[in-house]
Amino acid sequence: MSATASLAALPLAADLDQDKVTPGVLGFIVFAVIGGAVWLLMKSMNKHMKRVDFVEAPEPGAPGEGTDAK
């Protein structure tokens, strides 16, 4: 099979469906940037959540608080 015969088997731009829209390289780059941003935000949130020191106070008026409820 010659090179020209193998090139003839490839679809040309005129043969493609004009109504079909594909994201292409730009769509991949945008998607990768958004994915990287989400990863960095999750990493930052994880670091900040590890720093939180939260001790829950008992509810006011709860039994066992030491006050006499009559």
Side-chain angles (χ1 to χ4, degrees):
M1 182 179 267
S2 68
T4 56
S6 63
L7 287 176
L10 295 175
L12 299 176
D15 295 338
L16 295 176
D17 185 11
Q18 297 297 324
D19 296 328
K20 185 177 179 183
V21 178
T22 61
V25 175
L26 180 63
F28 173 75
I29 292 170
V30 170
F31 188 76
V33 168
I34 291 172
V38 168
W39 181 75
L40 288 172
L41 285 171
M42 293 292 288
K43 189 175 177 181
S44 175
M45 183 187 72
N46 193 21
K47 184 172 68 172
H48 282 84
M49 291 299 286
K50 285 181 181 179
R51 292 182 185 175
V52 173
D53 185 25
F54 178 73
V55 178
E56 187 174 349
E59 293 181 16
E65 193 174 273
T67 58
D68 293 330
K70 292 184 182 181

